[in-house]
Amino acid sequence: IKNPHFATYRVPRFRDVPVVEAVLLDRKDIPSAGAGETPIMAVAPAVGNALFDATGIRLNDLPLVPNGLRKA
């Protein structure tokens, strides 16, 4: 553990983010599927894992809360 105390935890800054190159392809042969929605699919699993880590209860159905923890 690098930061055993919350008070000494260094919050990542924009300068800590690596350079990311985004390449958009203009594909005329397939329909548009959007460009900004893809990252959102990782949010629910990340929240579910955080809840499991905090409570020890694994929630496998959405919505995770408010009734999810009460059912478990």
Side-chain angles (χ1 to χ4, degrees), residues 9-34:
Y9 176 71
R10 185 182 166 280
V11 177
R13 307 280 191 239
F14 278 114
R15 67 175 173 258
D16 300 320
V17 177
V19 176
V20 176
E21 180 182 347
V23 178
L24 300 178
L25 303 177
D26 188 15
R27 295 283 310 264
K28 304 287 187 204
D29 57 325
I30 58 174
S32 175

Side-chain angles (χ1 to χ4, degrees), residues 18-62:
V19 176
V20 176
E21 180 182 347
V23 178
L24 300 178
L25 303 177
D26 188 15
R27 295 283 310 264
K28 304 287 187 204
D29 57 325
I30 58 174
S32 175
E37 295 84 359
T38 304
I40 199 148
M41 67 183 172
V43 173
V47 171
N49 286 334
L51 287 170
F52 176 71
D53 189 47
T55 66
I57 299 170
R58 175 68 68 193
L59 300 173
N60 296 314
D61 298 313
L62 294 176

